[in-house]
Amino acid sequence: MLKVTVHNAERIPNMERFTNVDPMVTVIFQGIKKQTNWQRSTCDPKWEETLDFPLNGIPIQSTDTLEIHLKDHETIGANKLIGQGSVLLNDVMRTSTIKRRLVQLTNPQGVLLEATKLYITLEYTSPSSTEKMPISLKSGDPNQFDDVPLQNIGDTSWALEASGDQGMKRPIKSRSMKAQDFQIRIKIFQARQLDGSNLHPVCRVRVFTSVKQTKIQKGTNQPYFNEVFFFNINMSEAELCDEMIEFEVCNSRTLRADMKIGTFKMDIGYIYSQPKHSINRKWLLLSDEDDRMAGARGYLKVSVNILGPGDEAPSQENAADDDDIESNLLKPAGLMLRPATFVLKVYKADDLPRMDSAFLNGVKKLFHAAEDIKELVDPYVVFSFAGQQVSTKIIYTCSHPEFNQELRLGLKFPSMCDKIVLTVMDWDRLQFDDITCSTLLHINRLCDDRENGFLPTFGPCWINLYGSPREYSEVPTVLDELNSGKGDGVAYRGRIFVELQTILGETPNEPIGEISNSDLIRTLPYQSRKKYKLHAAFLDACMLYEHESTIEFEISIGNYGNKFDDLVGNASCSTTPPANPVFDGTSYYFLPWGHIKPCVQVASEWEDITFRLEAMNQLSKIRLFIVYY
């Protein structure tokens, strides 16, 4: 028997505007929750209440902890958490009694409440020193559910496989046989990479004999459902944990025999053994229940909460929802995913913008007048996928670096993550490294997952990078978020020359390697350039707002023609002559070009990719011809 006596608390922070708080204490031990009565309108409450936790013949362990929650009682709505703390039971095992133990509390933000003090007394009676008595189940006992600890008697082999705990065995504890009211809340968020094309998916959830389904999403294999289902059940805790929850994703527009895309069965006992009896924002790997070796048929994101009498549903918020997605993946037993390796060959980058202040370079120029000012950027490339990342070496003071390195990341194929992130960073000696620009590679556009398809493959090819304006500013701006890929970029910020390959059946031994000379020679034809010239004529400029200075327009391709960045060359022909706007007599201004229209031209050098553009143009015309005729 473990007895917890809650004495009093001092200097509780007041969370109410017009009155004092109504404090109460909740004590949680091995999933069993008990609470004191609430004290009306006081910041220095006194309870002197004893909460008993029967152990049923199972002694406590040295690693067991007691969770203490201090809450503000609310008549309407959920009780507000004031502070929480934990007490290790290692000392009470040796001394059997700890009197007036001070519990340090922290607020929900993790800040220590130094002024607040809570006093409790712990009394522990070892089961070996008492006679074991049979447990009698009395009908109508409201505390029977709290007096019986939890037991996981379901099949959780698939869950252990997902978490990598195959060799761990959880202690078996008895479960209550008394009928209780439970509510199972299941939220279906979305599905990804469903097997097939032109799908109209629907998700069905089966709990016991009750079946509920989402709305049909038309024409997609990545549907967003965002629906919540409630299942109210009255049965014993032991019977509940022996049951299963089945998730089934189907195609609503096919014959009944072929409509099933994939299924996933989950043991309720595994969910009930988790903290707060819930799993939050987990990805389920769908498979063919008749053929486990057929591989993944898609992924489904769900949350499952099992609520008993007096339980509060946990929050569904998760700030790091998109980070390290594969660590939240649950796989059914018997399903094998093939190991694979992404090999990204990073050859070079070009036209990177300035990222550092010119102060240090100005000091150098004073003492070394003959030395040229170097480019104010120290770039390196970061390759990210599914929460993993690896980066190249740093090339100092160079806006056109040559990396010539291979970056390798291991994965399980097929993967539920569908985006590869390439980020060009600027190394900073004094502060955090800055994001120069980033881009995304969508895996579903780089591979064909059909029977005779191909693995993700890309390049060798140049990738243009876009983000905030190139002009350097020491003061952060709102547009700086565009460099991290959170929106469409508004300006050209350089480009990188990369190649992506996928090797199936192996995982990488080393994350970084050097590119061989044969690969460097093989990519030379893809880097040969030709000269191009862009001509543009400006016909009219009207409905302008009032300007106190002259106005000129600029045409640029990449970095060619950008008069603010002289790394490429002369940009004088890329801008129109400065002109003063003229009031039009109503509300706006216009430029008085008259019959003489300004013309500009931009000379540039680019790789010849007309063979790709011609093929794309032909396919686009064929598609338009089929649609309209």
Side-chain angles (χ1 to χ4, degrees):
M1 175 71 73
L2 177 65
K3 295 184 178 181
V4 181
T5 302
V6 183
H7 296 290
N8 66 305
E10 300 176 358
R11 293 188 289 274
I12 296 177
N14 191 10
M15 303 175 62
E16 302 291 343
R17 295 185 59 183
F18 303 106
T19 61
N20 292 327
V21 294
D22 303 324
M24 57 181 290
V25 176
T26 301
V27 182
I28 304 173
F29 175 65
Q30 292 183 350
I32 303 174
K33 182 189 302 183
K34 295 190 175 184
Q35 62 188 25
T36 64
N37 295 322
W38 57 278
Q39 302 297 318
R40 183 183 300 275
S41 187
T42 177
C43 293
D44 298 296
K46 294 182 180 180
W47 292 281
E48 299 297 340
E49 298 184 27
T50 302
L51 308 177
D52 297 336
F53 293 89
L55 303 179
N56 299 327
I58 303 176
I60 63 176
Q61 305 295 325
S62 60
T63 57
D64 287 344
T65 59
L66 202 68
E67 295 185 20
I68 310 293
H69 292 180
L70 179 62
K71 297 183 178 181
D72 177 21
H73 174 75
E74 296 290 341
T75 305
I76 301 176
N79 299 328
K80 297 179 182 179
L81 179 63
I82 301 175
Q84 57 186 358
S86 60
V87 178
L88 282 174
L89 300 181
N90 188 22
D91 295 336
V92 77
M93 289 179 58
R94 299 192 303 267
T95 61
S96 298
T97 302
I98 299 179
K99 294 185 178 181
R100 293 193 65 83
R101 167 72 181 269
L102 174 63
V103 181
Q104 294 289 344
L105 302 177
T106 59
N107 64 9
Q109 288 76 31
V111 180
L112 180 65
L113 301 177
E114 298 180 357
T116 304
K117 297 180 180 181
L118 175 65
Y119 297 96
I120 63 174
T121 294
L122 301 176
E123 298 180 14
Y124 170 58
T125 303
S126 176
S128 59
S129 61
T130 59
E131 182 180 356
K132 298 182 179 179
M133 301 294 293
I135 301 176
S136 61
L137 300 178
K138 301 179 181 179
S139 60
D141 186 1
N143 294 325
Q144 180 173 340
F145 176 77
D146 292 335
D147 293 340
V148 182
L150 306 179
Q151 175 192 7
N152 183 13
I153 59 178
D155 179 16
T156 61
S157 59
W158 57 270
L160 293 178
E161 179 183 352
S163 60
D165 296 337
Q166 292 90 338
M168 298 177 60
K169 294 184 178 179
R170 299 180 180 177
I172 298 178
K173 304 175 184 178
S174 60
R175 293 192 185 277
S176 172
M177 297 299 296
K178 178 184 175 182
Q180 301 279 340
D181 288 327
F182 293 96
Q183 184 181 80
I184 301 179
R185 299 183 182 181
I186 300 177
K187 183 171 184 178
I188 310 296
F189 292 93
Q190 65 180 102
R192 284 189 185 178
Q193 301 180 20
L194 298 179
D195 189 34
S197 58
N198 194 24
L199 302 177
H200 301 275
V202 60
C203 180
R204 295 176 180 172
V205 182
R206 181 177 289 104
V207 179
F208 307 112
T209 59
S210 180
V211 179
K212 298 183 180 182
Q213 71 177 38
T214 63
K215 297 179 182 178
I216 298 174
Q217 305 295 320
K218 297 182 179 180
T220 177
N221 64 347
Q222 297 189 11
Y224 284 83
F225 300 107
N226 201 27
E227 297 187 34
V228 182
F229 301 124
F230 299 90
F231 298 88
N232 297 317
I233 301 166
N234 182 271
M235 61 172 53
S236 68
E237 182 183 338
E239 293 174 341
L240 175 71
C241 294
D242 285 338
E243 299 295 337
M244 306 286 290
I245 300 176
E246 182 178 358
F247 298 88
E248 186 179 274
V249 179
C250 303
N251 187 7
S252 62
R253 296 296 179 89
T254 57
L255 298 176
R256 187 173 183 84
D258 302 327
M259 67 182 304
K260 189 179 296 185
I261 299 175
T263 61
F264 187 93
K265 293 183 178 179
M266 178 179 294
D267 186 5
I268 294 181
Y270 167 74
I271 304 172
Y272 203 82
S273 64
Q274 298 301 304
K276 298 184 179 180
H277 310 317
S278 64
I279 59 174
N280 189 21
R281 293 179 176 268
K282 292 289 185 180
W283 285 94
L284 311 180
L285 194 151
L286 304 175
S287 63
D288 187 351
E289 58 182 354
D290 298 327
D291 184 10
R292 295 290 189 188
M293 302 305 294
R297 305 296 300 272
Y299 303 88
L300 183 67
K301 185 179 182 181
V302 302
S303 287
V304 183
N305 303 319
I306 302 177
L307 304 179
D311 291 344
E312 298 180 3
S315 174
Q316 297 289 336
E317 297 181 359
N318 190 351
D321 187 34
D322 292 332
D323 294 339
D324 199 4
I325 300 177
E326 290 195 345
S327 66
N328 291 324
L329 178 64
L330 302 181
K331 299 180 295 184
L335 182 65
M336 299 297 294
L337 296 179
R338 301 184 64 181
T341 301
F342 277 149
V343 180
L344 180 71
K345 298 180 180 180
V346 183
Y347 294 96
K348 59 173 65 175
D350 202 4
D351 297 342
L352 298 180
R354 169 188 167 188
M355 296 295 296
D356 297 326
S357 173
F359 173 74
L360 295 179
N361 283 68
V363 174
K364 283 185 177 181
K365 190 174 180 181
L366 292 177
F367 294 96
H368 306 280
E371 183 179 351
D372 294 333
I373 298 178
K374 297 181 179 180
E375 293 86 355
L376 301 174
V377 60
D378 305 314
Y380 65 95
V381 179
V382 178
F383 172 34
S384 305
F385 177 76
Q388 309 175 70
Q389 67 178 26
V390 61
S391 58
T392 64
K393 60 185 177 182
I394 302 173
I395 306 297
Y396 299 98
T397 62
C398 184
S399 64
H400 47 281
E402 294 187 4
F403 300 101
N404 293 332
Q405 285 188 316
E406 288 184 356
L407 305 180
R408 308 182 187 95
L409 285 180
L411 69 149
K412 296 291 185 179
F413 196 83
S415 174
M416 64 173 299
C417 300
D418 58 354
K419 293 179 182 178
I420 295 175
V421 183
L422 303 181
T423 306
V424 180
M425 303 289 295
D426 172 57
W427 175 79
D428 198 318
R429 186 189 303 273
L430 302 177
Q431 300 178 353
F432 296 104
D433 295 353
D434 301 320
I435 299 177
T436 302
C437 44
S438 60
T439 186
L440 300 177
L441 295 180
H442 297 270
I443 294 181
N444 55 357
R445 301 178 185 176
L446 308 178
C447 67
D448 187 355
D449 56 0
R450 292 176 292 186
E451 183 176 358
N452 297 322
F454 55 90
L455 297 173
T457 305
F458 180 78
C461 181
W462 287 97
I463 300 179
N464 292 335
L465 306 173
Y466 298 92
S468 62
R470 291 179 60 93
E471 291 74 26
Y472 174 75
S473 175
E474 296 183 358
V475 180
T477 63
V478 178
L479 297 178
D480 289 343
E481 292 186 355
L482 301 178
N483 297 333
S484 58
K486 295 183 179 180
D488 295 332
V490 298
Y492 171 76
R493 294 184 65 83
R495 57 181 186 159
I496 54 176
F497 189 62
V498 298
E499 179 181 3
L500 178 68
Q501 297 176 350
T502 305
I503 303 176
L504 200 59
E506 64 180 45
T507 55
N509 296 325
E510 297 292 337
I512 303 176
E514 297 296 328
I515 298 178
S516 61
N517 291 330
S518 59
D519 287 337
L520 295 177
I521 296 175
R522 179 176 55 88
T523 60
L524 291 179
Y526 299 98
Q527 303 180 47
S528 60
R529 299 187 179 186
K530 291 185 177 180
K531 293 184 178 181
Y532 297 90
K533 187 170 288 188
L534 173 67
H535 297 268
F538 290 81
L539 303 180
D540 192 14
C542 58
M543 298 186 69
L544 303 175
Y545 287 102
E546 182 179 2
H547 289 268
E548 298 180 355
S549 59
T550 59
I551 296 178
E552 59 184 31
F553 293 91
E554 179 186 84
I555 293 291
S556 63
I557 303 178
N559 227 21
Y560 294 96
N562 187 352
K563 64 182 297 184
F564 294 102
D565 200 327
D566 57 353
L567 295 178
V568 175
N570 188 13
S572 60
C573 298
S574 63
T575 58
T576 61
N580 291 310
V582 178
F583 186 60
D584 62 359
T586 56
S587 301
Y588 300 102
Y589 289 76
F590 68 96
L591 295 184
W593 286 335
H595 299 288
I596 302 176
K597 309 299 182 183
C599 296
V600 297
Q601 64 178 11
V602 178
S604 59
E605 294 183 0
W606 302 102
E607 295 74 24
D608 187 6
I609 58 170
T610 54
F611 65 96
R612 296 179 184 171
L613 299 178
E614 289 172 357
M616 289 297 298
N617 291 338
Q618 291 177 1
L619 292 174
S620 299
K621 288 185 177 180
I622 292 174
R623 176 179 174 274
L624 292 175
F625 180 81
I626 294 175
V627 170
Y628 290 107
Y629 296 96

